[in-house]
Amino acid sequence: MNVVRALVYQGPQQITLEVCDLPICTPDEVIIQVEAVGICGSELEGYLGHSSIRKPPLIMGHEFCGIVSSIGEHVLEVAIGDKVVVNPLLTCGRCDRCLMGKGNVCRKRSIVGIHRPGAFAQFVAVPSANVYKVPPEMDSGLASLAEPLAVAIHSIKLGIKPLDDLLIFGAGPIGLLTLQAARQMGAGKVMIVELQQARLQHVQRLGAEVASPDELEARIKVVFPQGVNTIIDCVGVQATREQALRLINPGGSIIMVGLGQDKTLLDVNHLVRQEVSFIGSYTYAPLDFQQAIQLLLQGAIDVEGWTESRDLAEGPTAFQQLVEGKTKASKIFLKL
């Protein structure tokens, strides 16, 4: 097979199913036959034309699992036939950020599905160093959640200590994974703020407190009588950032994960006077990714009700329905 099916982003709200060339395997890379790839919220922003780093034409897709189909001559870590998930964050390993253990902000970082072709295709080429083996019997859709779960784990490590209470903005996939990871990592009470009632039902089933933005201030007084010291914003727009700054306890921390809006007006004098910490949380460290895989293997992450699978050919429809809020699922896996 010298050609493959792929979803190609051609511009705002334009994704087409096309036939593309089979990727080439370089000496340090492997070719993966994709079995499942998740549609990420950041890709929805790209689909809408709101992402400055996603340039059409582009094969997106960075949350994926598949089978190794070819290996480069220098590859020793995996063999043909291995089932794997991929850390899509590629770093140089040599800059000052990498050498201090912060490869996630490597000065030369790149990401599969953004800076090079991704996994919305039957086959994708990736560096072998970024591949992790998983059991052959593991569900491929579940395995593809390793990447967004690693994002959640990284943000939690930046923000909370064991038994700390936590407020999360957004009950999309990252918010729901943050809730479940925080529980595994020893959080106290957790509340999620969300506009969509269907998503709040998922939160309630997972046993967390819920609130709509309009009722949040009253609900905080009931659920967190001493206020809240840590907020993780998985949305990232003016309204959530502004409300987080207004509600956080003096001396508290707001962890910024969501990238929904580039520029935001905030009361910085209030931030200074209350000594609030605004902390950006970007992707993850390799250990976060490995721990995400372990949580998934342990059955610690519940995906019932908020995920669904569709064929790759249904990708354009899935993107449109997700941005319009016309699907019950928060996360859609495309199966190949």
Side-chain angles (χ1 to χ4, degrees):
M1 179 186 293
N2 295 318
V3 294
V4 298
R5 291 188 307 149
L7 291 179
V8 183
Y9 168 60
Q10 297 288 6
Q13 299 192 56
Q14 296 180 54
I15 284 188
T16 54
L17 185 65
E18 301 183 15
V19 174
C20 303
D21 291 336
L22 182 72
I24 297 171
C25 188
T26 65
D28 295 308
E29 293 185 338
V30 300
I31 302 293
I32 295 172
Q33 183 173 359
V34 179
E35 291 195 334
V37 52
I39 299 176
C40 174
S42 66
E43 288 162 340
L44 297 178
E45 293 299 319
Y47 171 75
L48 290 170
H50 298 166
S51 172
S52 61
I53 59 175
R54 290 175 170 85
K55 308 291 187 184
L58 174 67
I59 300 173
M60 296 192 288
H62 60 268
E63 306 173 1
F64 60 101
C65 173
I67 305 297
V68 176
S69 65
S70 301
I71 61 173
E73 59 189 83
H74 297 164
V75 174
L76 300 174
E77 299 93 339
V78 293
I80 293 174
D82 285 341
K83 188 168 189 172
V84 297
V85 293
V86 177
N87 178 344
L89 179 65
L90 313 182
T91 62
C92 74
R94 296 182 299 276
C95 72
D96 59 330
R97 300 298 94 181
C98 286
L99 293 176
M100 69 184 294
K102 291 188 175 293
N104 61 314
V105 288
C106 168
R107 296 186 186 275
K108 297 180 180 180
R109 69 179 183 261
S110 62
I111 298 175
V112 174
I114 297 178
H115 304 101
R116 56 185 285 166
F120 288 137
Q122 289 174 289
F123 293 87
V124 60
V126 298
S128 62
N130 288 61
V131 168
Y132 296 83
K133 288 190 282 189
V134 296
E137 66 274 11
M138 187 175 188
D139 179 79
S140 296
L142 181 68
S144 73
L145 287 176
E147 197 278 341
L149 181 55
V151 170
I153 290 170
H154 186 71
S155 71
I156 294 161
K157 289 180 179 178
L158 291 174
I160 70 171
K161 301 178 180 66
L163 304 181
D164 279 358
D165 293 337
L166 174 63
L167 178 66
I168 299 170
F169 279 94
I174 295 293
L176 294 176
L177 290 171
T178 299
L179 160 62
Q180 296 184 72
R183 287 263 180 79
Q184 293 294 321
M185 296 166 72
K189 291 181 182 177
V190 182
M191 177 188 285
I192 293 190
V193 188
E194 172 59 53
L195 280 168
Q196 297 184 35
Q197 187 60 40
R199 290 185 171 186
L200 286 178
Q201 291 174 3
H202 299 317
V203 177
Q204 290 174 314
R205 192 181 62 78
L206 291 170
E209 301 288 342
V210 300
S212 67
D214 292 341
E215 65 181 1
L216 178 57
E217 295 190 36
R219 289 284 293 144
I220 280 184
K221 292 177 182 178
V222 174
V223 178
F224 305 119
Q226 301 302 313
V228 62
N229 293 322
T230 306
I231 296 174
I232 298 181
D233 183 359
C234 298
V235 180
V237 296
Q238 174 76 40
T240 58
R241 292 166 178 166
E242 190 176 72
Q243 197 166 33
L245 183 55
R246 187 169 65 251
L247 296 175
I248 192 74
N249 276 345
S253 297
I254 301 170
I255 314 302
M256 312 299 293
V257 178
L259 295 167
Q261 188 174 338
D262 190 15
K263 295 181 180 180
T264 304
L265 293 174
L266 294 173
D267 186 352
V268 178
N269 283 357
H270 175 77
L271 178 149
V272 172
R273 293 183 181 120
Q274 298 300 313
E275 203 169 83
V276 171
S277 297
F278 255 40
I279 303 171
S281 179
Y282 183 71
T283 64
Y284 33 74
L287 180 59
D288 303 324
F289 201 92
Q290 293 168 29
Q291 290 170 335
I293 294 171
Q294 289 305 310
L295 283 182
L296 292 169
L297 288 171
Q298 293 165 10
I301 303 301
D302 187 334
V303 299
E304 183 182 347
W306 60 273
T307 66
E308 68 176 62
S309 298
R310 300 188 186 182
D311 185 83
L312 181 69
E314 299 178 77
T317 301
F319 266 86
Q320 193 63 37
Q321 290 180 342
L322 283 168
V323 299
E324 293 176 354
K326 292 183 178 179
T327 174
K328 293 181 179 179
S330 298
K331 170 68 70 177
I332 292 178
F333 305 120
L334 299 179
K335 295 290 184 78
L336 291 90

